[in-house]
Amino acid sequence: MQDSPTPATLASAIADLLKREFLPNLTDHLAFQTRVAINALDLIARQTSTQAATDAAECARLVALLKHEGALAELNAELARKIADGELDLATPGLAEHLWATTLEKLAVDQPNYASYRAEIARK
Amino acid sequence: MQAETHAREDAPSFADGLAAVVRRVVPGVERLDRLSRLSGGASQETWSLTGVGSAGARKMILRRAPATQPPVVDKASLETEAALMRALKEAGGPSPNVLYVLQPEDRIGRGFLMDHVEGEALGRRIVRDEAFAHARTVLTSQLAEALARIHNLDPTRLPPLARRTAAEEFAQMVASYREHSAPRPVCELAIRWLAQHMPPEPAPRVAHGDFRTGNYIADANGLAAVLDWELAHLGNPARDLGWLCVNSWRFGGIDKPVGGLGAREDLLAAYAKAGGGRVTMEELLFWEVFGTLRWGVMCIGMGARAQQSDRPVELSMIGRRTSETEIDLLRLLSPRT
């Protein structure tokens, strides 16, 4: 077990520093690059604080869909292959639910302000 | 390298050369007042300039590539872009007034000069700002009419355009995804769906190739000018209609599928009425799914190039926007009830 602060806390602290101390003093081009860097640090903070739980949940759904154990990346690749081959499709029980859950978990990290994502989580 | 340096010393400076061109081809202009670079990557530049003289001040735009820049395969040249803009204007469509196409003897590269068009090109503002409230009520039909005009341009009176079929472009898109991405079940679902719904290839028409909110200028009255013709080609006209509806170009106005502005049914009705032809909702859905996956694959490609580029953070973050297209593909193919 590593000591605190967590990577998420550190990334957020760097993002805050850039926002408060750097951004107001930068010219257009550097301000743009710095905003991108802040967004990336915020993404890191979101991902590191949720990934263990979402990976485990995704893996459990894949085991149920594919009916065998395995590592997440291998199970995901197998699902992709079976969809490509037409062996599994939207009529397969649980497939649509799995794709939706996995995609919403990605958006929560990648782009939580994306309008489609906001609309879908408001639906819940 | 030696020859290039020599050529540069020999050539007039860009600003002097441009001023000479403007004096020669734009009546009433004696000198350039302001010259500033607006945007663009290494290959294509956009410059804003103001000419002043007896006719007063005249704002103009120069689209330009350095003469040393090799032409990009599959993209329309700047000369072709200028010809398309002129053709649309002659057909009565909303297009900037092209003043002059640069010639080799001008020695300031390739490109063309046009009058500045007042208005807004930023999609976010067009879709959200109060200043465009009226424009938004008319833009859907105006965009449909502009597309009908574009699709009815006579290709035999234009420079040669690349031919693109749905099947070829689909195959390229799938190959690019497989090369650059880890497996993505949602993309596989879309790829299979597209393969099963591939439309018959119609007689090719002139197509804009990148017709979307963000690539036209709007003012308070609606559509002022269609821009960004570099992906113009001969192909399926329904592709332009579908690309306009891709959620990535709605700038948050997600309940208005036509570029964040209007309804799909209204787009198709206005397009047919303007003489574009009949496009069904099924065809439009095909091209919307196609366009959504296409933007996703472009994000994947940019993310994959990030570490070799001079802006790795920016491109990596674009790569992480691929999931935006995955949620939009699911909303199209497997909507939750």
Side-chain angles (χ1 to χ4, degrees):
Chain A
M1 176 156 183
Q2 301 294 335
D3 293 333
S4 63
T6 62
T9 305
L10 276 173
S12 296
I14 301 168
D16 277 347
L17 172 74
L18 291 174
K19 236 175 281 182
R20 277 185 292 107
E21 307 286 336
F22 285 71
L23 210 45
N25 300 309
L26 296 174
T27 53
D28 283 0
H29 175 71
L30 277 177
F32 173 77
Q33 296 299 332
T34 303
R35 269 194 295 274
V36 174
I38 290 167
N39 289 340
L41 287 163
D42 286 339
L43 184 152
I44 293 168
R46 289 190 296 270
Q47 180 163 337
T48 55
S49 55
T50 57
Q51 186 165 12
T54 56
D55 279 2
E58 184 178 350
C59 201
R61 289 193 303 269
L62 283 164
V63 168
L65 266 172
L66 300 169
K67 303 185 173 62
H68 66 85
E69 302 283 327
L72 175 57
E74 280 151 28
L75 293 171
N76 186 58
E78 182 182 334
L79 178 66
R81 203 164 52 240
K82 288 188 165 161
I83 292 171
D85 294 345
E87 200 177 317
L88 300 179
D89 60 26
L90 287 171
T92 306
L95 181 65
E97 290 78 3
H98 168 72
L99 296 178
W100 266 109
T102 308
T103 301
L104 292 175
E105 286 159 1
K106 286 192 196 187
L107 266 294
V109 168
D110 292 344
Q111 213 59 252
N113 290 321
Y114 191 58
S116 302
Y117 175 70
R118 308 300 316 173
E120 291 297 335
I121 56 167
R123 204 187 264 278
K124 273 187 183 167
Chain B
M1 237 23 236
Q2 190 63 45
E4 204 181 299
T5 309
H6 180 71
R8 209 176 289 144
E9 281 165 2
D10 233 4
S13 87
F14 169 62
D16 291 346
L18 179 60
V21 166
V22 172
R23 268 198 304 276
R24 199 176 76 238
V25 301
V26 187
V29 169
E30 281 129 38
R31 60 185 175 84
L32 287 190
D33 188 23
R34 274 184 292 274
L35 174 64
S36 58
R37 175 137 178 216
L38 293 180
S39 67
S43 64
Q44 293 207 341
E45 305 164 357
T46 303
W47 296 81
S48 167
L49 51 141
T50 303
V52 285
S54 59
R58 184 166 187 164
K59 284 177 83 176
M60 291 167 278
I61 297 287
L62 176 77
R63 294 261 294 145
R64 180 226 182 212
T68 50
Q69 184 73 36
V72 183
V73 181
D74 270 3
K75 287 200 174 168
S77 67
L78 286 163
E79 292 83 356
T80 300
E81 280 192 55
L84 285 157
M85 284 182 167
R86 281 177 163 160
L88 178 58
K89 190 158 190 74
E90 276 168 34
S95 193
N97 182 36
V98 175
L99 293 161
Y100 180 70
V101 176
L102 295 181
Q103 301 299 312
E105 56 269 29
D106 297 321
R107 300 168 84 185
I108 51 170
R110 305 173 62 162
F112 60 93
L113 187 69
M114 57 187 159
D115 275 319
H116 171 84
V117 177
E118 284 299 329
E120 182 60 74
L122 283 179
R124 204 177 52 250
R125 297 213 179 122
I126 295 169
V127 167
R128 294 184 188 178
D129 281 9
E130 187 52 35
F132 300 97
H134 169 71
R136 284 192 288 273
T137 66
V138 293
L139 268 166
T140 298
S141 56
Q142 290 175 337
L143 291 165
E145 286 155 18
L147 273 181
R149 282 211 169 85
I150 291 167
H151 297 158
N152 283 324
L153 292 176
D154 179 358
T156 65
R157 299 181 57 198
L158 290 164
L161 296 169
R163 172 84 171 95
R164 242 179 248 176
T165 67
E168 282 164 3
E169 207 182 344
F170 176 68
Q172 286 165 6
M173 189 160 79
V174 173
S176 175
Y177 153 71
R178 299 223 191 282
E179 182 183 347
H180 296 300
S181 177
R184 291 174 176 268
V186 173
C187 292
E188 295 295 348
L189 191 74
I191 288 167
R192 192 166 169 87
W193 187 90
L194 287 167
Q196 289 172 336
H197 291 81
M198 193 70 59
E201 194 65 38
R205 310 250 294 263
V206 174
H208 180 280
D210 200 7
F211 195 87
R212 62 171 177 87
T213 298
N215 283 346
Y216 57 80
I217 294 176
D219 60 22
N221 299 315
L223 184 59
V226 175
L227 306 175
D228 294 303
W229 289 84
E230 67 182 45
L231 298 179
H233 62 278
L234 294 177
N236 190 328
R239 182 187 182 283
D240 278 342
L241 292 157
W243 186 242
L244 175 61
C245 294
V246 168
N247 189 57
S248 310
W249 322 128
R250 293 182 206 164
F251 297 92
I254 61 170
D255 297 325
K256 305 222 164 113
V258 182
L261 304 157
R264 295 182 185 91
E265 293 82 354
D266 294 341
L267 176 73
L268 297 185
Y271 179 74
K273 194 175 164 210
R278 183 170 172 273
V279 173
T280 65
M281 287 292 279
E282 289 71 29
E283 286 172 275
L284 189 67
L285 176 64
F286 173 88
W287 287 107
E288 192 174 326
V289 172
F290 185 99
T292 305
L293 181 66
R294 179 169 179 266
W295 174 236
V297 172
M298 289 165 81
C299 289
I300 287 169
M302 285 187 263
R305 279 200 311 277
Q307 302 313 319
Q308 290 80 47
S309 81
D310 57 355
R311 37 186 193 134
V313 182
E314 188 188 343
L315 291 186
S316 296
M317 288 299 281
I318 294 175
R320 289 297 288 259
R321 297 186 64 178
T322 312
S323 54
E324 294 179 359
T325 64
E326 291 180 314
I327 195 173
D328 289 330
L329 287 169
L330 284 180
R331 278 164 65 86
L332 288 167
L333 298 177
S334 182
R336 299 195 301 171
T337 44

